[in-house]
């Protein structure tokens, strides 16, 4: 599928539940190669695969969400998505994100290869962020803006790489609580 926003799914002020679904091989010229959600919508994803999606200009190769939206993802795989902008796997701004038992791997972008969050409150439990890459910082995650909190527990951030700063994490004015997790073998080439 090809679109300027939400190559696979575009969701505005709506509630969407996906279970045992594959969102694959979608493309957008702007935001949200696989999924785009905005204006306070909610998206719940379980037991699903989001893979090989692309956002060519801005962000969110796999998923893009904004403007008070809320995303919950359980027992799913987010891999091989790409963005020329921010957030190869996931890109969120002014919203909330709840992840549990997720593998985020082999995604790529300019900033935040696995996840890019700007003023997003995030809870992540048993999330493995592995082998993602970015050209301009935050190989695994890029977290920015004040007022947002990030809680990560029982997770692995391993083997991510960037050409700039923050192989595993790039943090800018964001509060993070990291519990019982491993950050290892990440590379920042600056």
């Amino acid at each position: 599928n090809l679109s300027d926003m939400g190559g696979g799914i575009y969701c505005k002020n709506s509630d969407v539940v996906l279970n045992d679904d594959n969102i694959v091989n979608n493309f957008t010229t702007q935001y949200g190669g696989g999924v785009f959600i905005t204006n306070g919508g909610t998206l719940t994803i379980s037991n699903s695969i989001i893979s090989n999606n692309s956002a060519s200009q801005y962000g969110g190769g796999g998923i893009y969400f904004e403007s008070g939206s809320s995303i919950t993802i359980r027992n799913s795989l987010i891999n091989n998505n790409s963005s020329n902008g921010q957030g190869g796997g996931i890109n969120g701004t002014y919203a909330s994100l709840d992840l549990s038992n997720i593998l985020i791997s082999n995604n790529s972008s300019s900033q935040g290869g696995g996840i890019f969050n700007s003023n997003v409150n995030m809870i992540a439990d048993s999330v493995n962020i592995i082998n993602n890459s970015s050209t301009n910082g935050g190989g695994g995650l890029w977290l920015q803006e004040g007022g947002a909190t990030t809680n990560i527990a029982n997770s692995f951030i391993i083997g991510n790489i960037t050409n700039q700063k923050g192989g595993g994490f790039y943090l800018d004015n964001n509060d993070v609580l990291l519990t019982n997790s491993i950050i290892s073998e990440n590379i920042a080439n600056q």
Side-chain angles (χ1 to χ4, degrees), residues 87 89-90 97 99 104 112-117 122 129 138 140-143:
I90 299 172
L97 178 62
L99 305 172
I104 300 172
I115 298 174
F116 181 98
N117 282 343
M122 181 173 79
I129 301 171
L141 301 97
W142 179 298
L143 308 174

Side-chain angles (χ1 to χ4, degrees), residues 5 11 14 27-28 32 37 42 52 62 65 74 83 110 112 115 117 126 147-148 151-152 157 163 177 189:
M5 293 186 207
C11 173
S14 302
F27 174 81
T28 180
I37 183 165
T42 64
N52 296 314
F65 62 106
R74 302 276 184 264
S83 168
S110 173
I115 298 174
N117 282 343
S126 302
N151 294 315
I152 299 174
I157 301 168
N163 293 338
L177 175 62
N189 285 322

Side-chain angles (χ1 to χ4, degrees), residues 21-90:
D21 291 307
N22 294 332
I23 302 170
V24 298
N25 300 322
N26 299 289
F27 174 81
T28 180
T29 57
Q30 294 185 25
Y31 296 98
V35 178
F36 179 98
I37 183 165
T38 188
N39 287 16
T42 64
L43 174 65
T44 302
I45 299 173
S46 303
N47 309 306
S48 296
I49 296 172
I50 299 171
S51 183
N52 296 314
N53 301 289
S54 178
S56 69
Q57 187 174 4
Y58 297 115
I63 299 171
Y64 180 88
F65 62 106
E66 65 176 11
S67 303
S69 299
S70 177
I71 308 289
T72 300
I73 307 175
R74 302 276 184 264
N75 307 313
S76 295
L77 171 66
I78 300 171
N79 78 318
N80 293 323
N81 300 287
S82 64
S83 168
N84 289 337
Q86 300 160 331
I90 299 172

Side-chain angles (χ1 to χ4, degrees), residues 67-149:
S67 303
S69 299
S70 177
I71 308 289
T72 300
I73 307 175
R74 302 276 184 264
N75 307 313
S76 295
L77 171 66
I78 300 171
N79 78 318
N80 293 323
N81 300 287
S82 64
S83 168
N84 289 337
Q86 300 160 331
I90 299 172
N91 181 1
T93 180
Y94 293 94
S96 64
L97 178 62
D98 188 345
L99 305 172
S100 179
N101 195 25
I102 306 295
L103 174 60
I104 300 172
S105 66
N106 299 305
N107 301 286
S108 63
S109 71
S110 173
Q111 297 170 316
I115 298 174
F116 181 98
N117 282 343
S118 178
N119 214 330
V120 171
N121 292 311
M122 181 173 79
I123 298 172
D125 186 14
S126 302
V127 175
N128 296 324
I129 301 171
I130 298 174
N131 296 334
N132 300 283
S133 63
S134 71
T135 55
N136 293 316
L141 301 97
W142 179 298
L143 308 174
Q144 72 177 31
E145 300 300 332
T149 59

Side-chain angles (χ1 to χ4, degrees), residues 176-189:
V176 176
L177 175 62
L178 189 67
T179 307
N180 194 36
S181 298
I182 295 174
I183 301 172
S184 179
E185 299 176 24
N186 300 286
I187 298 171
N189 285 322

